Structure formats: C-alpha cells, structure tokens
Amino acid sequence: MTKRIKSASKSKKVPVNPGNHEVYGLVLFAVALFCMLCIYAPSQYTGGLGTSVRDYLKDNLGWAAYAIPLYPIVYGVLLFMEKSPKSISRPVIASVILLISGLLASNIIDPLSGGQWLGYLTEPIRKSISWGGLLLPLIGLTLGAEVLLLLPPFSLLIVFFRLVTTQVMGLAQTTELNSQQRKLYSKLRAQEQELEALMGLYPTSQELKVWLGTLRKAKVNIPDFTPEEKLQLEEELSNTHDLLQDFSTKKAHDITEKLQEEEYPLPELPHELERPLRLELQSAQLMEGHRTQLNREYAELLNTIRKMNRERDQNVKTLSGQVKSHHLRQVLSQQESRLLSWKQTSKAVAAWQLQVDIFLPWMDFLVEVAAHAQGLVLDSELAKKLTQNFKKTLREIGWWQKSLENLQGSPAVPAARNEVAENVEFDLDFSSLDFTFEDPTPVPADPMPAPVPTQNRSASALPDPDPAPWLDPEETKDTEASNPLEPEQTRASLRDPQPTVGAIPATRPEPDLLDPIPNTHQDRRILDQMARERADLINQTLSEFKVQARVTDFARGPTVTRYEIEPAPGEKISRISGLSNDLARALAVGGVRVEAPVPGKSVIGLEVPNAEREPITFHAAIASKAFSDSKAKLPIVLGKSIDGEMYVGDLARMPHLLIAGSTGSGKSVCVNTLIVSLLYRYLPQELRFVMIDPKMVELTPYDGIPHLIRPVVTNPADAAGVLLGTVAHMERRYKMMSQVGAKNLEQYNAKMRQIGDPELPYMVIIIDELADLMITSPKEVESSIMRLAQMARATGMHLVLATQRPSVDILTSLIKVNVPARIAFAVSSSHDSRTILDNTGAERLTGQGDMLFYQPGLVKPVRLQGPYISEGETVRINDYLRRQFFEDWFGESYGTDFDGVDEAGGGPKANGPMDFSDPLLRQAAEICIEEGQGSVSRLQRRLSVGHARAGKLMDMLEAMGIVSKHQGSKPRDILISSADLPEFFGK
Ligand SMILES: Nc1ncnc2c1ncn2[C@@H]1O[C@H](COP(=O)(O)OP(=O)(O)OP(=O)(O)O)[C@@H](O)[C@H]1O
C-alpha cells in the first residue's frame, strides 16, 4: 500500500503541498466564480466591488475579459484533482497568444475594442500604418496555432509564402507572353470569368463544365500555339461567346417566366378605418391612436408590397436586354430575398387583417357609448382598462356590448362630456353600477363624420398612391387654411393657377403639392398621466435594485420620452446604465437607451419608446420656422429632437453625409426628404444632382426632373465611370476657379455675377446603396469617393452616401475619415452602430425614421425622428418638376462630364436608349432649322416637353447628323436645310 502511494506520488508531480491542494483548488475556483459573477451577471448581483472589477477588466482587456474566468477554473480543477498544471501549459500558452493577437487585431480595426492595455501599443501602429498593422496579429495568430498544433514556429507562414511565390511565378509567366498572346489571353480570361460566374449560378450544367474545361486547357497552351492555332482559338472564342449569350438568354427567359408568376396582391383598407373617431370620450382618444396605428401599418405594408412589385418589374426589365452573368446573379438573389420577405409580409398582412377585424366593431360601439347619458361612466372605465392592457381589452368587446345593453332605458341625452370626463374617478367600482333602467328612449348616435375629398391641387390631379397613414382627408381644409408656410405663394397660386399639363418655366414647387399637415389629436393630459406612471415605475425599479436615483423630469419627443434621472451623490452612472434591460422589462418595452449625461444637464437620460408615435410629416417640417428661416446654404430637414426642436442641417457645412441602417429602418425615406428639401429651395439653374441607385427602385422616380444632370445611374458597372466623370468635373471647377482667383464656389459665382457670366450650380451626388458599388468595383469607387470627399467641398459639390451594410469593407476607414457627418438608423448590433458612428446606441433605435445624427461640432449624436414623405408626394413633386423648362447653360456645356466612360475606355456613354420613333423628332428638327441653332432649352419651351426628353431629342438629332456636336456654351450648328428633311423623315 505504502509502495503504491509512493509510486503514485512519483508519477503525479504535485506542485503544491499535498495537504493543501484542495484548498488552493477551491480558492482558485472561488476567484473564478467571483470573476464570472462580475463579468457575466447583471450589476445588481455584483455590488460596488464587483462592478469596479468588471469595469476595470472590460476597460483594459476589452472583450478578452470574458475569457478571464476560464483560466482560474481550469487551474482550480487541476489543483483540486491533484493534476499537474504543466499538462495543459501548451493549450494555455497557445490560447494566451491567440487572445493577445485577437486583441491587437480588433484594436487596429476598431480602436479600443480590445481594451486600453493593448490600446497603448496598437494606437501608434494604427496611426502610422493603419491596417498594415494587422500583419503583427497575423503573425501572432499563426504562432498561436503552431503552438497548439505542435508545429515548428513560423511553419504556417512559410507554407503561405511558398503558395504566394508559386502564384507570382504563374503571373510572371503570363507577362512573358507577347502582345498578341496577351490579347488572346485576356479575352480568354474574360470568358473564363463569365463562365465561372455562370457555373456559380448553375453548378450542375454540363455544357458550362465542358466549355470551361476547354478554355482552361487552351489557356495553359497559349504560349505554344502556332499562328494558325491562334486564329482557330480566336474563332472558338467567338463561338463560345455566342453560346454563352444563348445560354444566358435562355436562363433569363426561364427566370422571366417565373417572375411573371410572382404575385404580390395589395391588401384592402376597409373604408371605415379611414374615418377618424371624433368623439369626446377618453376611450375614443385611445382608440383613435390605435386606428391611426392600423392605418400606418397598412401604409407600411402597402409600401413594402409595392416595392416588391416594382423590384420584380425592374427584374423583368433587366432581363429583357442583353443578359450577362451579373444580371442573372442580381435578379436571382433579389428574387430569393423577395420570396423570403413575402413569407414574412404575407404573415404581417394576415396579422394586420386580424387586428382590423377586432377593431372595427369598436367604432360603432363607441358611437353608441357617446350617445348614451350613462355612457360616460362606461367610457371612463373602458379608458382605464385600455390604459392597463390595451390588447386584452380590445378582445373583450362582447362584454362591453353587454354592459351597454344593460344601460338600455337610461335617459339618452348626451351629458356635458368634458366636465364628467374630468370629474370621473378612474377607480370607480364598475360592477356596482345598476344597469337596469326602464323606459328606454334611445337617441340616435352622433353621426360619424363622412370623409371629405382632398382639395384639388393646382399642379397635379394624380391620386396619392401612398398617402401618409395618419392623413385625415377632412382636415385638409383646416390645415391648409392654417398652414403658416408662405401664405403669399399659396394665395398667388390660387389667383394664377398653373396649367396642369404642358411645359412651364422652372419655379420652386409649392407646398400644396404635399399632403396636408395632419391634425393629430393626442390628449396631452392622458399622455402626461401615462408618462408620470412610467416615471413611478422607473423610480420603483431603481429602488428595487438599491440604486440611489430618481426621475426628476421628462420630455416627450415624437418617438421616445426621455426621463431625466438624477443620481444621488456618490451613485455611479454605470449602475443605472447597467440596469437598462431590467428597466425595459419593468416598463414592458423592447429596449431603452441611456444617455449619460444629457448634454447641458447634470442628469442621466433614459429614453423609452412611446406607446404611440407622433408622426412628423415632411410638410410640417418644411413649414417649420427652422426650415423657412434657415440660413443654411444647402438646407436639409433632418428631424425633430426629443426636446421638440426641428433640426435643419446644412449639407454645405457637413460637407458630406453618410446614412446607414438596417433594411426597413427609414434610410430611403430620409434620402427622399433630403432631396425634396433641396428641391424646395433651389431651381435647376442653382443646384444639380447626380443620382446613383443600383437597387433601381429608390431614386428612379426622380428620373427626368430638370435638376438631374444625367439620368439616374442604375447599373453598378456604369457607376464607377460616372463617378470618375464627376471627379473630372470637380477638377474642371478647380481650374475655372483658379483662373478667376476664386477660392470657393461662392466667390466664383460672385465674380461671374459681376461680369454677367453664368454661375455654376451646387452639385449633390447621391449614392443609394454604396455596398452594391463597392462590391462591383471597390477600388475605383473608393478612390473616386475619396477624391470627391477630400476636395469637392470648395467647388460646391457634396456627397450623400447611403448603405444598409454597415460593415468595415463597405464603410472603409478612408471613407469614414472623409465623410464626418453621419446618420445612423436602427441596426441589429452595437458593433454595426460603432462602425457607423464610432459609438454605440443605434442598436437601441426603434426604426421608422428614428435616428442618431452626428456632425463635427456636436458633443455627441442627437436622437431625431425623421420626417415622413410618402411616395405619392414625391411622385407629385417630380411630375411637376418634369414639366419645367429653363436655359440649361450648365447642362449643355458640361453635361457630358457626367456621362461616364464606357468599359472599353472609349468616349462618353449615351444617356439611355434613343427612341427614334419619338413623334416629336421631326418637329424638333424643324424648330432647330427654323431657329438656325440647336438648343435643348428652346426645344423644351417650344415643344412643351421636359428637360430629359428635349435632351434626348437633341442627342438623336446629333446622331442623325442634323445638328453638330455640342460646343461648350455655344448653341449647336445646324448641318442641313429644310429641303433635306424628307430624306430623314419622308414626305
Ligand atoms: N420618418 C418616418 N416616419 C414614419 N415612418 C417611417 C419613416 N421612415 C420610414 N418609415 C417607415 O418605415 C418603412 C421603411 O422605410 P424605408 O423604405 O425608408 O426603409 P429603408 O431603410 O430604406 O429600407 P430598405 O433598405 O429595405 O429600402 C417605410 O415604409 C415607412 O412606413
């Protein structure tokens, strides 16, 4: 026995005193438990010391703090079981190397995400060589892996470099080819890439496999080909090109058939739901909020379904031309995500329908309640129940109808409602009421107000396909009468109405093209009461967690209410922010955001989503004093803050803006409000847009408006060329400015005014979905954006970039550094929020235009609710603008700068397809001959057509050889006489 013990103690080298190993093991275990508690558990379980330890570890070690408890656990277990810690030394060392390398990498990518300790080391590296610093952690990671896998040090790196060398050698071989071989080679490579892309889409296709195999074989043998073989290969390549084209066309045809089967029916809005509940009942006010909400949800569903339909139509269009693999890929992936999102949308439609069915009977019921003298008591009780649990009460209509039936026989004269409503006690014992009245003398209910058709608009009689959900047609009269926006303009338009068709001179659009400002009836008393109840709940939760703080005030914003919490002296802010999830649970909301401290105050802000949002319409936003009195050079409406202030930004000062957020969070609406803000301020002579919209749905409605210097670019492949053209135009502006000694656009234009020469307009370049461009041609796009972002400000050119993919490969550090103003909409993670704002917070936003806006000069991002502009409103404004004509000196002189460069590097691209069957073509030629010069603006005026169509007519006349090419600011020459016209157009 003694022998056995001896030999055992020999084989297991115990590092500690044999008697104490269990104690040491338990101590380590306790340390691990303490660390786990501090790091993983909410702060109320850890106390002051725990919170300090957690803060210390997290601040200094970043995310690696989560791994810390693992080490004492592992060592504790080993000691307890009397095992030698040496047995795990290799994995432990490897894990430490890997952790440190990971921390270094994350600090280089996202400063301080890996904690302050390593931050001191990585900061100088990051500053001097930026992402180049990733080499260091890369070496560390390979070392860690080598230790773990028992490989000799640096062996992985050596293998990697061997691989690279082989590739480079291969590349060197291709450079040895002569120029003819190279040409052949590059053709072959292009076809190979197209084939590979198609193989990716159709991996089972045998024909593609065979073609690809043949091509690859030929590629290898090119250097040994005789001249005859080369000729043969060229022929084969052209055959394969045709075969590939046929293949893609056939696939496009198959997909189109499927696209045509896709159906997304629009739900119907019951007309009862359009009528507001105008009853002086507390419960009716709550129900009215629900009705508005249902309308809003309906509008959202409609919007989503319309978008899907539009995208499907756009897909069909894409596949109708010459189809390449990237078209197929784009359409297939959009189709896939559309089908997925239809699954969700159809569920949402069904849920909405169910809610409507539950709600509709209440509308008649409330009318009956209002008509009854005793109804006010019922109303007060109903309001109480609704405030307590809205959804549950909504489902109990049967019970309430029965209660009303019991009131039959009461005198049916409506009482003085307001008085009673104020005097009724909310905790009345409803069950004690006697409902058995005799001699019923029912009085007809208050007639429900019938909807009044929206006022005729002076400029467009188009029905609004997507009215603002909260719009009440009956309010049109009141709101328009009380609309403070430019009353003279409105009156002038009434005196001298614009014709509804035909060309009109360029003027700023009038506010009456927008939907009327809705009159949202929200009872402040009820809202304040609800806010006070929530403040009590917050106080209660804070004291349950023994946090010494209390709510001192609140401010109700359009989307969230900010409760101002004052901590007692010595109380840590981190304790309150650590409770955000518990507070959200206590308040029964999805999430709350803590702003610590509120700028300018010594309190902590707790932002809690409102049960009912206050809609901010674009009309109301531009009618605000903030917009009408704005001295900004390029004023853009941003939204309303929690304090009720309307924020109007100045794009000229930003000087470029980045908008990012997850899908459906409100980016497109924001981009629209931004564009329309500028359209309301500037004529096309003063401001021009370049719009790039690879998604093909968001900006295409603006096609044809005179402010566009070229049609909206929808093909990502063209976008890089257009951006290059825009950079070239910026350089041209610099030259023009230096010739007259101007430092910026304002100085240049002032000089031009003095000598009576035309001024240069501001330019705003909008890219809606940067990700699509960055994927197609990342280098070209990034470098053009960089050049514009760094230099364009002085020339009056400004960028607006929008993306739904806030990842570091899209929002590269170069782009972020040069685009300092940011709008973040709701995102799914704090990591995304950091990528956009370099700060967390956007993950707590509630969607639907709820945003954080930041620009240099602000202490921290401001939370705003963006204004809503409906599709119908944008359509009306665009239709109005499309009819405008003006002397387009700028477009005729410099329009081709923005045409982009075609793929072969040749000349500028044409602005969309030419339609030689345009019935106005001959008339356009006659006008030019008659006037002895070719001018787009003259065509616009004389033919009463929009700028885009006149421009196309002129392009066609140029292509036919009737007018000369454009020559700077001079009108085009006429190259034929009227006697030659029959040659072109027949007798
Ligand atoms: N400012 C706003 N006020 C009220 N509702 C809004 C606002 N902005 C957006 N919404 C609602 O959110 C929906 C989605 O908005 P939007 O289409 O702008 O999202 P998105 O981020 O552009 O999505 P996607 O990237 O999929 O196009 C809209 O249909 C609208 O109902």
Side-chain angles (χ1 to χ4, degrees):
M1 175 74 178
T2 351
K3 216 173 165 187
R4 235 177 37 226
I5 293 172
K6 265 187 191 161
S7 69
S9 62
K10 247 184 211 167
S11 69
K12 290 177 199 160
K13 274 195 178 173
V14 184
V16 289
N17 206 346
N20 293 337
H21 63 88
E22 285 184 344
V23 178
Y24 288 135
L26 284 174
V27 167
L28 275 177
F29 216 70
V31 170
L33 268 180
F34 176 71
C35 288
M36 278 172 87
L37 204 68
C38 294
I39 291 163
Y40 301 130
S43 60
Q44 74 268 21
Y45 301 119
T46 56
L49 175 67
T51 313
S52 312
V53 171
R54 185 206 358 239
D55 290 349
Y56 180 77
L57 288 175
K58 280 193 183 166
D59 284 351
N60 291 314
L61 282 175
W63 49 262
Y66 290 99
I68 292 296
L70 297 178
Y71 292 96
I73 288 187
V74 173
Y75 279 109
V77 170
L78 284 178
L79 275 178
F80 196 81
M81 294 171 68
E82 245 187 296
K83 293 250 165 71
S84 162
K86 270 195 181 165
S87 58
I88 56 153
S89 53
R90 185 182 281 275
V92 167
I93 293 171
S95 72
V96 171
I97 297 177
L98 289 172
L99 264 181
I100 293 177
S101 312
L103 287 177
L104 284 173
S106 73
N107 263 347
I108 286 169
I109 295 167
D110 187 1
L112 293 189
S113 60
Q116 274 172 8
W117 281 344
L118 286 175
Y120 296 128
L121 178 68
T122 40
E123 204 44 30
I125 299 178
R126 211 178 58 81
K127 276 199 183 134
S128 49
I129 49 173
S130 180
W131 282 37
L134 283 176
L135 265 180
L136 193 65
L138 188 74
I139 296 172
L141 286 173
T142 53
L143 254 177
E146 281 150 7
V147 174
L148 199 66
L149 302 172
L150 292 172
L151 294 172
F154 303 114
S155 54
L156 287 175
L157 276 180
I158 291 168
V159 171
F160 173 74
F161 281 116
R162 263 196 212 128
L163 262 174
V164 172
T165 324
T166 333
Q167 290 295 324
V168 171
M169 292 297 287
L171 217 70
Q173 270 169 9
T174 57
T175 47
E176 276 170 21
L177 302 174
N178 65 32
S179 76
Q180 196 204 352
Q181 285 169 334
R182 258 207 300 276
K183 237 182 182 170
L184 211 54
Y185 184 86
S186 67
K187 262 192 194 171
L188 221 148
R189 180 73 197 120
Q191 232 173 59
E192 188 187 21
Q193 279 171 348
E194 178 70 2
L195 264 165
E196 281 167 350
L198 284 171
M199 278 290 288
L201 295 173
Y202 303 100
T204 52
S205 164
Q206 284 308 319
E207 48 202 319
L208 290 180
K209 243 184 232 166
V210 174
W211 294 336
L212 190 59
T214 323
L215 271 191
R216 283 186 178 154
K217 227 184 256 163
K219 200 171 86 180
V220 177
N221 295 330
I222 284 184
D224 312 325
F225 274 8
T226 60
E228 292 78 42
E229 280 173 326
K230 276 178 201 152
L231 272 180
Q232 205 184 335
L233 178 63
E234 285 226 28
E235 229 171 73
E236 271 174 25
L237 281 179
S238 108
N239 279 345
T240 328
H241 177 269
D242 293 346
L243 287 170
L244 274 181
Q245 196 52 58
D246 288 350
F247 181 90
S248 302
T249 313
K250 191 172 160 300
K251 292 294 176 197
H253 184 257
D254 295 347
I255 302 171
T256 308
E257 274 182 3
K258 289 219 176 89
L259 287 173
Q260 274 152 359
E261 284 166 18
E262 270 181 52
E263 275 225 17
Y264 305 113
L266 300 174
E268 274 190 26
L269 181 72
H271 65 275
E272 296 97 311
L273 212 59
E274 290 174 64
R275 288 190 246 143
L277 265 171
R278 291 252 177 84
L279 302 171
E280 289 177 17
L281 298 176
Q282 292 175 40
S283 50
Q285 281 175 3
L286 293 170
M287 290 286 191
E288 174 58 11
H290 187 58
R291 187 194 69 83
T292 325
Q293 174 70 16
L294 285 175
N295 272 302
R296 207 172 303 155
E297 283 171 14
Y298 173 75
E300 275 168 29
L301 287 172
L302 224 54
N303 208 357
T304 314
I305 299 175
R306 283 210 184 106
K307 238 185 205 174
M308 292 165 84
N309 277 320
R310 268 205 311 273
E311 193 184 83
R312 183 210 45 210
D313 295 346
Q314 197 50 256
N315 284 172
V316 174
K317 228 171 164 185
T318 307
L319 296 184
S320 61
Q322 235 201 11
V323 183
K324 291 253 176 231
S325 60
H326 67 264
H327 294 123
L328 293 172
R329 190 175 52 233
Q330 182 193 17
V331 170
L332 282 170
S333 84
Q334 285 186 348
Q335 190 187 29
E336 192 184 345
S337 60
R338 201 166 48 241
L339 291 175
L340 262 177
S341 93
W342 174 241
K343 269 191 193 159
Q344 286 172 2
T345 312
S346 54
K347 268 189 209 155
V349 170
W352 176 83
Q353 193 67 54
L354 187 73
Q355 284 207 52
V356 171
D357 292 346
I358 293 175
F359 175 72
L360 285 182
W362 281 99
M363 297 188 76
D364 290 338
F365 174 72
L366 289 174
V367 175
E368 284 175 40
V369 174
H372 210 288
Q374 289 295 316
L376 282 172
V377 184
L378 194 74
D379 169 46
S380 139
E381 182 65 13
L382 176 58
K384 191 173 147 196
K385 292 276 183 237
L386 285 170
T387 320
Q388 281 167 358
N389 193 338
F390 194 88
K391 281 195 180 149
K392 182 165 169 279
T393 314
L394 215 55
R395 285 194 297 270
E396 292 169 347
I397 189 164
W399 189 85
W400 293 94
Q401 277 169 337
K402 253 201 205 119
S403 307
L404 188 68
E405 273 167 27
N406 287 344
L407 287 172
Q408 294 298 331
S410 67
V413 185
R417 285 164 189 147
N418 283 337
E419 279 169 37
V420 180
E422 266 168 16
N423 296 333
V424 164
E425 279 291 330
F426 265 64
D427 51 2
L428 256 181
D429 184 4
F430 190 64
S431 58
S432 66
L433 278 174
D434 180 7
F435 290 131
T436 49
F437 296 98
E438 281 176 14
D439 195 14
T441 44
V443 156
D446 278 356
M448 193 72 108
V452 174
T454 316
Q455 250 189 1
N456 252 358
R457 295 198 166 78
S458 60
S460 170
L462 260 187
D464 188 343
D466 175 29
W470 50 83
L471 187 67
D472 170 4
E474 213 177 319
E475 277 154 17
T476 314
K477 265 187 280 170
D478 309 350
T479 44
E480 290 196 349
S482 64
N483 182 1
L485 183 70
E486 299 179 64
E488 275 130 59
Q489 253 190 43
T490 320
R491 259 180 266 133
S493 72
L494 288 174
R495 274 200 308 275
D496 182 18
Q498 296 271 21
T500 50
V501 286
I504 48 171
T507 42
R508 290 181 193 102
E510 292 194 7
D512 66 355
L513 286 171
L514 298 167
D515 291 341
I517 301 172
N519 192 2
T520 41
H521 352 249
Q522 285 188 323
D523 189 328
R524 289 231 76 85
R525 274 180 312 131
I526 296 186
L527 296 177
D528 286 352
Q529 170 67 20
M530 280 161 79
R532 271 192 289 275
E533 280 170 17
R534 280 190 158 176
D536 289 344
L537 263 176
I538 295 169
N539 283 335
Q540 197 181 322
T541 315
L542 289 173
S543 67
E544 274 167 17
F545 286 96
K546 310 237 173 339
V547 175
Q548 305 283 318
R550 62 188 181 86
V551 176
T552 53
D553 200 358
F554 63 84
R556 198 185 143 80
T559 319
V560 291
T561 300
R562 186 181 58 219
Y563 295 89
E564 295 181 357
I565 302 180
E566 195 176 281
E571 187 59 86
K572 280 191 138 195
I573 290 180
S574 59
R575 289 202 64 207
I576 300 174
S577 39
L579 283 182
S580 56
N581 289 342
D582 302 281
L583 284 165
R585 186 193 43 76
L587 296 167
V589 291
V592 294
R593 177 173 170 263
V594 176
E595 195 188 23
V598 176
K601 297 186 179 179
S602 61
V603 291
I604 298 165
L606 183 76
E607 293 167 2
V608 182
N610 293 338
E612 190 63 40
R613 278 165 183 261
E614 178 199 331
I616 310 293
T617 60
F618 180 72
H619 195 160
I622 61 159
S624 67
K625 273 182 92 58
F627 185 76
S628 52
D629 295 354
S630 170
K631 297 272 179 295
K633 282 186 205 150
L634 293 174
I636 48 176
V637 177
L638 294 169
K640 204 175 194 180
S641 70
I642 300 180
D643 298 313
E645 188 187 341
M646 186 63 78
Y647 268 64
V648 175
D650 185 356
L651 185 60
R653 287 186 59 201
M654 287 178 185
H656 310 289
L657 176 63
L658 175 68
I659 303 173
S662 59
T663 179
S665 54
K667 290 180 308 299
S668 307
V669 171
C670 172
V671 170
N672 280 322
T673 55
L674 196 149
I675 296 172
V676 181
S677 303
L678 294 172
L679 291 176
Y680 263 91
R681 214 17 116 77
Y682 282 114
L683 295 174
Q685 296 91 317
E686 301 160 336
L687 173 115
R688 302 302 278 265
F689 285 107
V690 172
M691 296 189 186
I692 300 179
D693 175 19
K695 284 201 285 186
M696 296 193 255
V697 280
E698 304 301 354
L699 299 178
T700 41
Y702 294 94
D703 243 337
I705 66 167
H707 294 75
L708 269 180
I709 188 71
R710 53 152 298 133
V712 177
V713 187
T714 50
N715 186 350
D718 294 345
V722 172
L723 282 173
L724 277 176
T726 312
V727 173
H729 179 76
M730 174 191 74
E731 284 160 359
R732 183 202 284 277
R733 282 188 174 212
Y734 265 113
K735 272 189 209 131
M736 290 164 77
M737 281 163 35
S738 77
Q739 274 162 10
V740 296
K743 286 203 184 94
N744 56 39
L745 185 72
E746 288 73 33
Q747 286 183 6
Y748 176 85
N749 281 346
K751 293 197 181 204
M752 292 300 108
R753 268 196 301 279
Q754 274 172 6
I755 56 171
D757 268 7
E759 295 171 30
L760 282 174
Y762 284 108
M763 298 240 34
V764 177
I765 301 109
I766 301 191
I767 302 180
D768 193 356
E769 207 32 85
L770 181 62
D772 290 355
L773 299 197
M774 290 294 282
I775 288 166
T776 321
S777 23
K779 273 198 207 118
E780 292 84 343
V781 170
E782 191 185 35
S783 72
S784 302
I785 290 179
M786 246 40 290
R787 303 245 321 136
L788 289 170
Q790 286 166 347
M791 299 173 63
R793 174 194 199 144
T795 62
M797 296 170 73
H798 303 275
L799 281 168
V800 176
L801 312 173
T803 183
Q804 66 181 42
R805 281 192 42 193
S807 56
V808 283
D809 52 335
I810 307 300
L811 302 182
T812 62
S813 50
L814 275 178
I815 291 186
K816 278 174 61 184
V817 166
N818 290 291
V819 184
R822 324 259 167 83
I823 291 180
F825 285 98
V827 289
S828 53
S829 69
S830 55
H831 182 263
D832 286 354
S833 174
R834 261 185 227 276
T835 316
I836 307 167
L837 291 173
D838 299 322
N839 218 326
T840 56
E843 73 283 4
R844 304 255 173 197
L845 297 176
T846 58
Q848 300 194 2
D850 188 11
M851 64 166 95
L852 284 171
F853 167 69
Y854 177 78
Q855 74 172 30
L858 287 177
V859 186
K860 48 166 95 168
V862 201
R863 189 165 187 174
L864 302 174
Q865 170 61 45
Y868 181 81
I869 187 165
S870 70
E871 215 179 304
E873 289 171 295
T874 6
V875 166
R876 280 201 295 274
I877 291 166
N878 290 336
D879 284 351
Y880 174 70
L881 293 175
R882 269 189 208 105
R883 293 164 41 224
Q884 302 191 341
F885 62 80
F886 66 105
E887 209 59 61
D888 188 9
W889 165 83
F890 179 74
E892 292 192 15
S893 309
Y894 307 117
T896 44
D897 285 0
F898 303 91
D899 285 348
V901 177
D902 66 24
E903 274 156 30
K909 278 189 162 186
N911 286 354
M914 292 197 189
D915 174 15
F916 285 97
S917 61
D918 190 320
L920 292 179
L921 189 57
R922 183 184 186 131
Q923 219 180 324
E926 284 167 357
I927 290 170
C928 290
I929 294 172
E930 187 191 317
E931 298 198 343
Q933 60 171 41
S935 145
V936 174
S937 43
R938 295 290 307 156
L939 283 189
Q940 257 184 283
R941 200 169 311 177
R942 294 209 33 199
L943 293 172
S944 289
V945 293
H947 183 260
R949 187 163 173 200
K952 275 197 183 152
L953 284 169
M954 190 59 81
D955 286 347
M956 285 187 267
L957 293 180
E958 182 193 319
M960 292 166 83
I962 295 175
V963 298
S964 69
K965 283 186 182 311
H966 87 101
Q967 328 158 33
S969 57
K970 280 196 281 166
R972 297 166 189 254
D973 294 334
I974 306 304
L975 306 177
I976 63 161
S977 70
S978 52
D980 301 323
L981 278 178
E983 245 181 68
F984 292 88
F985 299 100
K987 296 266 172 202

